C-alpha cells in the first residue's frame, strides 16, 4: 500500500471499528457508514478524502479491511471492531487446526485462561501459519499457538469467517490449545 492509502486505512480503521464519534459519524447496527457523510465529516478533520481514494483503499488494502455495500453508498470494516456492531456472520465449519500468533509474555495467562477476545468481538485465528506469524510480530518475537478447531467444532463451539478470511470464535479454552 502507498503511504497515503496506508494513512487513510489507519484512519478508516479508527473511525469504522473503534470511534466513529471522533468525526461525529454514526454507524448503523450492522456497522455501515454512509459514504457521502463519511467523506464530508472526515474532510472537516482531515483533507483530501474523496470517493476515488476510498475506492482505492477498499480495492488495494493489504488485508481487505473494508467493504462497500452493493451500490457503494455504504462502507464498513470487515472485522476488528471494538464497538458493538452486528456483522451478521453465519457459523461455518473450521479446518481441523487454526493458528494464533502472539508473544511469549502472554503464554502463561493464555495457558491459565485460554484465548480471550480482549477488546475485540472475537478471538482472531488464521488458517495460514505465515499470517499468524505476522499477527504475532506486531507485538515482538512471535510465538504460534495451534488451536484444535476441529475438536472445538465437534463439541458445538461456533466459528465464523470474516469477508477477508480471518477465522473468528468467542473464546478458545486452554484444553484446545497446543503450547509447543
Ligand atoms: C492476547 C490485526 C493474555 C492475544 C491482526 C493478542 C489480526 C491474551 C492480544 C487482528 C489472552 C489481543 C487481531 C489472555 C489473548 N491473556 N493475553 N488470556 N488471550 N491474548 O489485537 O489476535 O490490522 O485484539 O494473543 O492482523 O493480536 O487490525 O488480537 O496478542 O488479524 O486488521 O491479547 O488484528 O488486524 O490483541 O489481532 P488483538 P490479535 P488489523
Amino acid at each position: 500500500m502507498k503511504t497515503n492509502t496506508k494513512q487513510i486505512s489507519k484512519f478508516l480503521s479508527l473511525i469504522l471499528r473503534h470511534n466513529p464519534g471522533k468525526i461525529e459519524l454514526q454507524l448503523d447496527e450492522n456497522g455501515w457508514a454512509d459514504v457521502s457523510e463519511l467523506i464530508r465529516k472526515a474532510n472537516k478533520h482531515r483533507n483530501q478524502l474523496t470517493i476515488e481514494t476510498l475506492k482505492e483503499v477498499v480495492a488495494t488494502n493489504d488485508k481487505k479491511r473494508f467493504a462497500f455495500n452493493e451500490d457503494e453508498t455504504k462502507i464498513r470494516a470487515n472485522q476488528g471492531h471494538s464497538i458493538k456492531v452486528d456483522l451478521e456472520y453465519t457459523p461455518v465449519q473450521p479446518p481441523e487446526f487454526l493458528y494464533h500468533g502472539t508473544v511469549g509474555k502472554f503464554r502463561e495467562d493464555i495457558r491459565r485462561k485460554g484465548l480471550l477476545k480482549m477488546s475485540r468481538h472475537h478471538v482472531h485465528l488464521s488458517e495460514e501459519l505465515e499470517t499468524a506469524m505476522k499477527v504475532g510480530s506486531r507485538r515482538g518475537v512471535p510465538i504460534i499457538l495451534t488451536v484444535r478447531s476441529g475438536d472445538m467444532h465437534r463439541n458445538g463451539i461456533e466459528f465464523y469467517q470474516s469477508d477477508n478470511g480471518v477465522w473468528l470464535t468467542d473464546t478458545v479454552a486452554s484444553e484446545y490449545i497446543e503450547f509447543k
Side-chain angles (χ1 to χ4, degrees), residues 28-73:
D28 74 11
E29 58 177 359
N30 304 125
W32 294 106
D34 182 84
V35 169
S36 47
E37 188 186 346
L38 168 68
I39 292 174
R40 183 162 44 80
K41 291 185 170 170
N43 286 343
K44 274 197 206 162
H45 292 252
R46 284 167 60 101
N47 298 320
Q48 295 171 350
L49 188 61
T50 63
I51 184 68
E52 286 73 28
T53 37
L54 267 189
K55 280 184 183 172
E56 189 186 342
V57 170
V58 170
T60 63
N61 189 261
D62 56 354
K63 285 183 64 190
K64 294 196 174 62
R65 289 184 177 87
F66 314 102
F68 286 117
N69 68 340
E70 269 177 22
D71 64 5
E72 301 192 345
T73 56

Side-chain angles (χ1 to χ4, degrees), residues 17 63 65 100 102 109 114 116 120 124 135 138-139:
R17 292 166 161 185
K63 285 183 64 190
R65 289 184 177 87
H100 180 83
T102 185
D109 268 352
L116 305 177
R120 304 201 189 234
H124 288 222
V135 173
R138 286 154 54 238
R139 302 180 188 284

Side-chain angles (χ1 to χ4, degrees), residues 8-9 21-23 27 29 33 37 48 50 86 95 102 107-108 116 123 133-134 157-158 162 166 172 178:
I8 293 170
S9 167
K22 189 179 166 67
I23 58 165
L27 309 184
E29 58 177 359
E37 188 186 346
Q48 295 171 350
T50 63
D86 176 8
T102 185
R107 191 198 307 252
E108 277 318 302
L116 305 177
V123 171
M133 290 292 283
K134 280 192 199 148
I157 297 161
E158 287 187 339
S162 68
V166 178
V172 181
E178 314 279 347

Side-chain angles (χ1 to χ4, degrees), residues 13 17 63 65 79-80 100-103 105-107 109-111 113-120 122-126 131 134-136 138-139 145 164 166:
S13 288
R17 292 166 161 185
K63 285 183 64 190
R65 289 184 177 87
Q79 37 75 222
H100 180 83
T102 185
V103 281
K105 67 176 176 188
F106 295 150
R107 191 198 307 252
D109 268 352
I110 295 172
R111 199 192 292 275
K113 301 181 203 156
L115 277 171
L116 305 177
K117 50 190 165 184
M118 312 308 270
S119 64
R120 304 201 189 234
H122 299 94
V123 171
H124 288 222
L125 302 168
S126 318
T131 311
K134 280 192 199 148
V135 173
R138 286 154 54 238
R139 302 180 188 284
L145 307 178
N164 56 347
V166 178

